[in-house]
Amino acid sequence: MTFIIKPITSEIRSAVTEKVTESWRSPYVVSMGVLRDTREQPGFAAMAEKEPVGYVFYSIADNDCEITVLESLVERRGIGGALINAVIEAAKENGCRRVWLVTTNDNIHAIRFYQRFGMSLRTVHINSMDAARKLKPEIPLTGDNDIPIAHEFEFELYI
Ligand SMILES: CC(C)(COP(=O)(O)OP(=O)(O)OC[C@H]1O[C@@H](n2cnc3c(N)ncnc32)[C@H](O)[C@@H]1OP(=O)(O)O)[C@@H](O)C(=O)NCCC(=O)NCCS
């Protein structure tokens, strides 16, 4: 499968929002106690023909760039890595020194992926998902492998 990485412009935003909503139960995402509407965030999509096969959103503050959501819909084809690399380039252009993100404790696959990509664990936010659920009650109680979703693991990469 071939794909190209594109900034999420108005032309493709609604197709991407549909995928976000299917995967995360709404267009809203929560990280570190902050609720964000992906429909208003900058991001990139991996497009195969006219179909999004992956997307990433990010938020820049204080010379840091947070990846607020990343998903590859066709795994092990390089889409996840290509999307992070697109954010790294955007972060550099905006004068950022650090790209960071959180993922939940159940997401063993993502925890592996980020470390294989070269990111380092910075900290674990214990029981942070209690506050996240107050903002987004749709967040399930258990995740991958029926592991209770309780904590956020923070990963970072200096660029
Ligand atoms: C975690 C996630 C983003 C990874 O995306 P991905 O598209 O599979 O990532 P990549 O293809 O770039 O890399 C994954 C692996 O495939 C390998 N790979 C890349 N291209 C490949 C190819 N053409 N053939 C075979 N393997 C390939 C990579 O080297 C990497 O291997 P490694 O893990 O042993 O280092 C994806 O699994 C996902 O969306 N998960 C669900 C949502 C999620 O958990 N998001 C993150 C939470 S914040």
Side-chain angles (χ1 to χ4, degrees):
M1 188 205 49
T2 55
F3 64 90
I4 55 166
I5 303 294
K6 280 189 170 181
I8 299 177
T9 55
S10 53
E11 193 195 344
I12 59 171
R13 191 171 281 277
S14 63
V16 174
T17 299
E18 219 171 275
K19 302 288 184 191
V20 174
T21 307
E22 271 169 32
S23 297
W24 307 97
R25 302 183 175 196
S26 96
Y28 294 93
V29 292
V30 183
S31 59
M32 297 284 295
V34 179
L35 181 75
R36 291 195 177 87
D37 186 343
T38 57
R39 293 169 296 188
E40 292 171 359
Q41 285 207 287
F44 296 94
M47 302 296 291
E49 303 292 335
K50 287 192 158 68
E51 182 77 9
V53 289
Y55 54 81
V56 64
F57 292 93
Y58 62 94
S59 172
I60 291 177
D62 302 329
N63 291 341
D64 275 3
C65 177
E66 180 185 357
I67 291 179
T68 54
V69 58
L70 167 70
E71 183 170 31
S72 165
L73 297 162
V74 186
E75 294 180 321
R76 296 195 69 85
R77 294 287 188 280
I79 291 171
L83 288 166
I84 299 186
N85 281 327
V87 173
I88 290 172
E89 286 315 304
K92 283 181 182 165
E93 280 164 23
N94 282 279
C96 296
R97 294 209 38 243
R98 189 171 87 104
V99 171
W100 67 281
L101 55 82
V102 293
T103 192
T104 48
N105 61 288
D106 62 299
N107 201 341
I108 308 297
H109 183 66
I111 289 168
R112 177 186 188 280
F113 169 76
Y114 293 131
Q115 292 179 92
R116 293 274 303 163
F117 187 84
M119 301 187 89
S120 302
L121 180 66
R122 181 177 179 106
T123 190
V124 179
H125 301 276
I126 299 293
N127 290 326
S128 59
M129 295 309 288
D130 292 344
R133 277 195 194 87
K134 290 197 173 106
L135 294 166
K136 184 175 171 181
E138 299 94 324
I139 296 172
L141 290 172
T142 55
D144 293 354
N145 302 302
D146 285 331
I147 298 171
I149 303 175
H151 321 295
E152 286 171 304
F153 282 38
E154 181 177 333
F155 289 94
E156 66 181 3
L157 179 70
Y158 281 88
I159 56 175

